[in-house]
Amino acid sequence: MCAAREGRWGRRQRALLCCVLVAVWEAACGQLRYSVPEELPKGSFVGDLAKDLALQLAALRDRGARILDRGRTRYFALHANSGHLVTAERLDREQLCEGMQRCVLRCEVIVEGEMKVYEIEVEITDINDNAPSFREAEKELRMSETSAPGSRFPLVEARDPDVGVNSLQSYELSGDEHFSLSVQAGADGEKRPELVLAKALDREEAAFHELVLRAMDGGEPSRTGTARIRVSVLDANDNAPVFSQAVYAVRVPEDVPVDSTLLILTATDADEGLNGDVMYSFKKITDKSLKIFYLDSDVGSIKLVRSLDFEEGDSYEMEVQAHDGGGLFDTATISISVTDVNDNAPELTVSSALSEISEDAPSGTVVALLHVQDRDSGANGEVRCSLAGDVPFRLRSSVGSYYSVVTARELDREEVSAYNVTVWASDGGSPSLRSSAVLALRVLDVNDNAPVFAEARYSARLPENNAEGALVLTVRAWDADWGQNARVRYRLAEGRVRGAPLSSYVSVQAETGALYALRSFDYEEVREVGLWVRAEDGGAPALSSNVSVRLLIVDENDNAPQVLYPPAAAAAAAGAGWTGVELAPRSAEPGALVAKVVAVDADAGQNAWLSYELAKATEPGLFRVGLHSGEVRTARSPLARDAPRHSLVVVVKDQGRPALSATATLTVVLAESVAELLSELGSAAAPAEPAGSLTRWLVLAVAAVSCLFLAFLLLLLALRLRRWRRSQLLPPASGALRGVPASHFVGIDGVRAFLHSYSHEVSLTADSRKSQRRWAADSCCNTLPARPPPDKAAPLLGEDAAGARGAPPDALPQAQPNTDWRFSQTQRPGTSGSQNGEEGGAWPNNQFDTEMLQAMILASANEAADGNSTLGGSTGTMGLSARYGPQFTLQHVPDYRQNVYIPGSTATLTNAAGKSNAKGSSGGNKKKSGKKEKEKK
């Protein structure tokens, strides 16, 4: 007994294990099965979907699980919080699966995150919710009184939409002893009640018999349905109607029009009169068929009252009864088969789809999940799917009637940024029907393209001396990507130019690519700048590309020619340009080379092409200059009348626009030997100062003298007051001014020092007879001693020294110094020396006048060295008239003739002559010195 129990327990375990394995296998195959009874209220539990699919509740929500709805009635819903599958409405098995023994509803659950579809089958089990019912609650039967006992008469059948034990199980009859009930089992298993005549009828006893037929099912509790049967007893009718066929079978297409006659029944009755009139009626027909077909009771034709649909029903079977007026009848079976017509296009449903995909998605990425079905059957229901156009996608068959749209290759957003993928579903009918669905897919950009410059290399020409910040050129780069990945920024690569960072020369605007010059370029320093510009996009990681930029500095004429020969002289500092001395023999032939001017230009090209021309010459036509060589040649043979010294000014020009030039000054001496050349150079005077420069200095001197004149007036007034006050307090000082030894007046330097010291330390008064002299020992310590040596007196030279001309310096007695140091108004320096009146004032103590006096004394010394007996071209002019005009005479300078001693010469300074840069003579001031010369003569 224990062994038997263990065997039963083992069998149960094996059975349970088999059930579990079947459930696991079905779940792995993507199909789940549940069973629920009908008539459950909305929201009733069907199954734990999350558990059966082995999904966590959070994953179930995140991955977007849902019930697919393809336009049909939704019977189930997925509860997102619990993961349970529940009913979406009340389920009636008889309504959903009429006439079917097994009622199964199917639905699909899609998990969008996994792009998976699970098929679910829910079996609706029957409950005893329907009682058996008769199509006719009351039925009248007509029987002849001659009917033999044992005759059978078919009764109306009861119908119970339930199945199994809940369906119709038995019939009962009650009400009369003349009749009994017989239930026959049909070939399809149905129970067919028949009324059996148990006792002969007699119309005279009873013309009518009332019966009750009861139908019962097997449910718990059992349900019943009843029908009342009234039997009318008739007179004798010995011929029953007869159908031409026992079974009528017809095949009609599903697209047959409504009101079409499908079949005409034929039944004949040999009787005459009322007993021969045949009437037709449905004996057995379903409610569904009764709504589709109509039977004409008089003619026996069956018409279509509603469109047929092969997908709803492919065959219909019913029984028709033909009966005459005497109550006799015949029964025939009608079978109507519906043939399928390709009247349903395939249904293409997008169950799940992506709206955007990255362009670097790998091949085989699922972008959409499609469901396709065709309600037709056979070849009409065979569906083929395809993609329209040449697109980088393909179809892949999935579970059941599902298809996946996957990428066939890598995408490129730069080629196509968006796709409208059309999926076609075509059936196998003739003609074929098809439907389509469009998938809109946008391709997301990935930074897979580096910026590309518009040109392979850039070059620009930039004139030198450009303005700082000048635009040089603009580089352009495009990126085929989109958005931030296509945003291009520019920057300079590292580099150096002449040892300095490249960024100090040029810069690039990061957004526009404009290249600017940060400094002014000089062609002579930098002729070419090579650099690299990098364009970088805004992707992560960023991509970049480089382009070379070549800047050519264009030369401009900004450098004047530079004269290398003749070499620079001291006169260049004073504006005389270049100077040189060249020797040309007087016997030179025309075209003889005298000199060559050599010049260079720092510019390049046309700006450095030099040309030479003779701008100025002492003797025009004697010399010429080569246009391109700069060679100075004689244009003709020198003549005896030609001056020995010639000054040539050669202009050197470049070919720039505008042209720049420089000058070179050559001094050509016509001499046969070097000794003659040196003699000519020794007899030449110092170079003359340009008139323009002298005029400028004279204007400045006049302005300075005018300003100082007013200051000296105030100063003299103060001194006069001071002396007057001192004279009131102290006795007048007496004594002669001690002279300066003659040994200190040696050479021109001594003269210059003497004039320098006395121009600063001699004070003049308005009254020449009462001159006050004050000596400052510290101011002349380098030139003259404050007192002469005690062994030899050296008084100052007096103003009257005309008698001392021609005597040796040591034999001439020194004249007494002139005590009248004052000048009258007509003898004072300046342009207003002709005014009358007598004013007190001192000689202007300024550097300009001192240097002018030094220059005049030096020029006088040069004339004395040449052997002239007197200095100056004319008496009393000191040689100034030739340079400054006749208006400048000795009346404008102080008379220092008595104080100057020139060694090696017997001449004395009679009228303080002067020569600066040119020789000349004119009439001078003869008011004092002239008188003294006459008295001496």
Side-chain angles (χ1 to χ4, degrees):
M1 184 174 181
C2 291
R5 288 181 180 177
E6 289 179 357
R8 288 196 297 271
W9 177 250
R11 287 194 296 272
R12 290 179 181 177
Q13 284 184 335
R14 285 194 295 273
L16 181 60
L17 180 60
C18 290
C19 293
V20 170
L21 291 177
V22 169
V24 171
W25 180 81
E26 290 178 349
C29 294
Q31 187 174 11
L32 299 176
R33 290 186 174 90
Y34 299 100
S35 176
V36 292
E38 63 173 333
E39 301 296 336
L40 288 178
K42 180 180 179 181
S44 299
F45 175 79
V46 176
D48 192 346
L49 197 62
K51 179 179 179 182
D52 296 337
L53 293 179
L55 295 174
Q56 299 294 330
L57 293 179
L60 194 67
R61 290 191 297 268
D62 295 341
R63 297 177 183 176
R66 59 184 175 88
I67 302 292
L68 285 176
D69 182 9
R70 292 192 293 271
R72 298 178 297 180
T73 304
R74 293 185 60 182
Y75 299 107
F76 304 100
L78 180 61
H79 200 285
N81 293 330
S82 61
H84 294 167
L85 186 68
V86 297
T87 58
E89 62 177 20
R90 187 181 66 83
L91 302 178
D92 187 355
R93 182 187 179 281
E94 288 73 30
Q95 182 179 358
L96 298 175
C97 306
E98 182 181 2
M100 300 177 64
Q101 290 296 323
R102 187 169 181 269
C103 183
V104 178
L105 298 181
R106 293 178 176 82
C107 64
E108 291 91 12
V109 175
I110 182 172
V111 181
E112 294 189 356
E114 299 179 354
M115 285 291 179
K116 290 185 178 180
V117 177
Y118 299 92
E119 293 186 354
I120 300 175
E121 292 185 357
V122 180
E123 182 179 2
I124 310 301
T125 58
D126 183 53
I127 62 173
N128 192 23
D129 58 337
N130 294 283
S133 61
F134 294 91
R135 187 168 55 87
E136 297 179 358
E138 293 184 2
K139 178 66 175 178
E140 183 179 356
L141 295 178
R142 294 180 180 183
M143 297 183 184
S144 175
E145 60 180 346
T146 60
S147 298
S151 299
R152 293 177 177 270
F153 301 90
L155 298 177
V156 60
E157 297 179 7
R159 180 178 176 275
D160 193 338
D162 294 328
V163 295
V165 296
N166 296 326
S167 64
L168 179 64
Q169 298 295 324
S170 61
Y171 291 93
E172 290 182 358
L173 182 65
S174 61
D176 199 317
E177 59 181 2
H178 289 84
F179 300 95
S180 63
L181 180 65
S182 175
V183 179
Q184 301 294 329
D188 55 357
E190 294 184 357
K191 295 177 174 62
R192 299 177 178 178
E194 294 181 348
L195 186 63
V196 180
L197 183 60
K199 185 178 179 180
L201 296 176
D202 188 357
R203 185 178 181 278
E204 287 69 27
E205 289 183 3
F208 299 97
H209 296 272
E210 300 289 339
L211 304 176
V212 176
L213 180 61
R214 182 179 292 108
M216 297 171 292
D217 60 22
E220 290 292 339
S222 177
R223 292 176 178 270
T224 61
T226 59
R228 299 181 65 84
I229 301 175
R230 184 178 184 180
V231 179
S232 299
V233 181
L234 303 176
D235 285 337
N237 182 18
D238 52 354
N239 292 297
V242 177
F243 280 101
S244 60
Q245 296 177 212
V247 177
Y248 290 87
V250 63
R251 295 177 65 86
V252 295
E254 63 174 330
D255 60 348
V256 65
V258 178
D259 292 335
S260 299
T261 299
L262 305 181
L263 180 65
I264 297 178
L265 303 176
T266 303
T268 59
D269 193 325
D271 295 328
E272 295 182 353
L274 182 62
N275 293 328
D277 293 336
V278 179
M279 302 292 291
Y280 300 92
S281 62
F282 286 117
K283 178 180 180 291
K284 179 183 178 182
I285 187 172
T286 62
D287 293 339
K288 180 179 180 181
S289 299
L290 192 60
K291 296 176 181 179
I292 299 174
F293 306 103
Y294 169 75
L295 175 61
D296 191 335
S297 60
D298 295 330
V299 179
S301 62
I302 297 178
K303 292 184 178 182
L304 188 66
V305 296
R306 202 184 74 176
S307 298
L308 295 174
D309 191 349
F310 177 83
E311 288 70 37
E312 293 183 0
D314 56 353
S315 65
Y316 299 91
E317 190 170 321
M318 61 202 76
E319 292 182 0
V320 181
Q321 190 177 64
H323 55 87
D324 57 16
L328 299 179
F329 62 91
D330 191 12
T331 304
T333 301
I334 299 175
S335 177
I336 301 176
S337 299
V338 180
T339 59
D340 184 41
V341 175
N342 191 24
D343 59 342
N344 292 285
E347 297 178 2
L348 188 61
T349 306
V350 180
S351 301
S352 179
L354 301 178
S355 60
E356 53 189 24
I357 183 173
S358 177
E359 64 175 325
D360 62 346
S363 178
T365 302
V366 179
V367 298
L369 190 63
L370 308 176
H371 179 268
V372 61
Q373 67 176 3
D374 196 319
R375 298 179 63 190
D376 296 326
S377 61
N380 296 331
E382 295 178 359
V383 181
R384 297 180 302 274
C385 293
S386 61
L387 297 179
D390 183 16
V391 292
F393 302 96
R394 60 183 176 87
L395 286 172
R396 185 174 64 190
S397 179
S398 187
V399 179
S401 56
Y402 283 89
Y403 289 88
S404 298
V405 180
V406 299
T407 56
R409 61 177 185 270
E410 291 186 356
L411 306 178
D412 190 352
R413 191 207 65 84
E414 288 70 39
E415 293 183 0
V416 181
S417 60
Y419 292 93
N420 288 325
V421 183
T422 302
V423 183
W424 288 100
S426 305
D427 58 23
S430 180
S432 177
L433 299 180
R434 65 177 185 171
S435 59
S436 65
V438 178
L439 305 175
L441 188 64
R442 185 167 62 93
V443 182
L444 299 179
D445 183 53
V446 174
N447 191 27
D448 56 348
N449 290 279
V452 177
F453 284 92
E455 300 180 19
R457 60 185 57 86
Y458 289 85
S459 63
R461 300 174 67 87
L462 180 64
E464 67 171 332
N465 302 321
N466 57 284
E468 295 183 0
L471 175 64
V472 179
L473 81 161
T474 301
V475 296
R476 292 289 185 184
W478 286 267
D479 197 310
D481 294 322
W482 181 82
Q484 183 68 22
N485 295 332
R487 184 179 180 183
V488 180
R489 296 180 65 85
Y490 305 89
R491 62 186 179 91
L492 289 177
E494 295 294 334
R496 304 187 74 83
V497 177
R498 295 176 61 87
L502 178 63
S503 57
S504 65
Y505 282 84
V506 292
S507 68
V508 63
Q509 215 284 331
E511 300 294 338
T512 62
L515 198 67
Y516 295 97
L518 297 182
R519 63 169 62 181
S520 179
F521 285 92
D522 189 353
Y523 176 83
E524 288 70 38
E525 294 182 357
V526 179
R527 299 194 176 187
E528 181 179 335
V529 177
L531 54 97
W532 289 86
V533 177
R534 173 171 295 177
E536 190 174 87
D537 59 26
L543 300 179
S544 63
S545 59
N546 300 323
V547 69
S548 65
V549 180
R550 183 185 181 194
L551 301 183
L552 300 177
I553 310 302
V554 180
D555 181 48
E556 288 191 347
N557 193 26
D558 59 341
N559 290 282
Q562 182 179 2
V563 178
L564 301 180
Y565 186 84
W578 300 85
T579 185
V581 178
E582 300 293 339
L583 174 64
R586 286 187 174 272
S587 59
E589 295 294 331
L593 178 63
V594 177
K596 182 175 182 179
V597 178
V598 180
V600 294
D601 196 314
D603 294 323
Q606 184 177 352
N607 297 327
W609 296 350
L610 301 180
S611 62
Y612 304 83
E613 61 178 283
L614 187 60
K616 184 179 179 182
T618 304
E619 183 65 32
L622 180 57
F623 299 97
R624 60 181 175 85
V625 178
L627 180 62
H628 300 294
S629 63
E631 295 178 349
V632 180
R633 296 179 180 272
T634 56
R636 58 177 175 81
S637 298
L639 302 177
R641 58 180 175 81
D642 292 334
R645 179 192 293 263
H646 296 268
S647 178
L648 305 181
V649 178
V650 180
V651 177
V652 185
K653 291 184 180 180
D654 57 25
Q655 302 302 314
R657 293 180 181 272
L660 300 179
S661 64
T663 60
T665 301
L666 288 170
T667 300
V668 180
V669 178
L670 298 177
E672 294 296 339
S673 63
V674 177
E676 186 177 352
L677 171 63
L678 296 177
S679 174
E680 181 63 31
L681 292 178
S683 62
E689 185 177 4
S693 176
L694 180 59
T695 303
R696 182 170 61 255
W697 283 106
L698 286 176
V699 171
L700 294 175
V702 170
V705 169
S706 300
C707 294
L708 292 174
F709 181 72
L710 296 176
F712 276 116
L713 285 179
L714 297 177
L715 180 60
L716 290 175
L717 179 60
L719 292 175
R720 292 290 292 177
L721 290 175
R722 181 179 179 185
R723 290 192 184 111
W724 175 81
R725 184 175 180 184
R726 182 177 296 175
S727 64
Q728 298 296 326
L729 299 176
L730 299 174
S734 60
L737 179 64
R738 306 208 51 177
V740 179
S743 61
H744 289 275
F745 291 86
V746 180
I748 300 302
D749 293 336
V751 175
R752 184 180 293 109
F754 176 80
L755 296 177
H756 184 271
S757 61
Y758 273 81
S759 65
H760 286 77
E761 300 182 9
V762 178
S763 298
L764 304 180
T765 62
D767 187 2
S768 61
R769 301 299 180 185
K770 298 180 180 179
S771 297
Q772 299 290 332
R773 292 170 300 278
R774 181 168 57 88
W775 300 87
D778 56 350
S779 63
C780 58
C781 59
N782 294 327
T783 56
L784 301 176
R787 295 180 180 275
D791 58 348
K792 186 177 182 180
L796 286 174
L797 295 176
E799 187 177 354
D800 189 5
R805 294 177 186 172
D810 53 356
L812 291 177
Q814 299 295 333
Q816 294 298 325
N818 186 6
T819 58
D820 189 1
W821 286 84
R822 294 173 297 168
F823 288 86
S824 66
Q825 181 64 25
T826 59
Q827 293 178 331
R828 292 179 182 172
T831 58
S832 59
S834 60
Q835 297 178 0
N836 297 324
E838 184 172 339
E839 298 178 5
W843 175 264
N845 185 13
N846 57 72
Q847 184 177 358
F848 171 75
D849 295 330
T850 303
E851 291 180 355
M852 181 179 291
L853 291 175
Q854 295 173 3
M856 289 187 294
I857 298 303
L858 180 60
S860 299
N862 289 337
E863 288 185 356
D866 290 341
N868 296 332
S869 60
T870 57
L871 293 178
S874 179
T875 305
T877 63
M878 295 180 66
L880 300 179
S881 299
R883 181 173 180 84
Y884 303 113
Q887 72 276 11
F888 194 97
T889 60
L890 283 178
Q891 63 179 354
H892 299 94
V893 295
D895 187 3
Y896 292 117
R897 293 171 298 168
Q898 303 179 35
N899 302 330
V900 178
Y901 165 67
I902 300 175
S905 175
T906 58
T908 58
L909 297 181
T910 58
N911 245 354
K915 180 188 259 186
S916 175
N917 291 328
K919 294 180 181 181
S921 61
S922 178
N925 185 10
K926 299 181 180 179
K927 289 184 179 180
K928 278 191 176 182
S929 58
K931 284 182 180 180
K932 294 180 180 180
E933 290 175 359
K934 288 180 181 179
E935 292 174 356
K936 192 155 187 144
K937 289 179 182 179

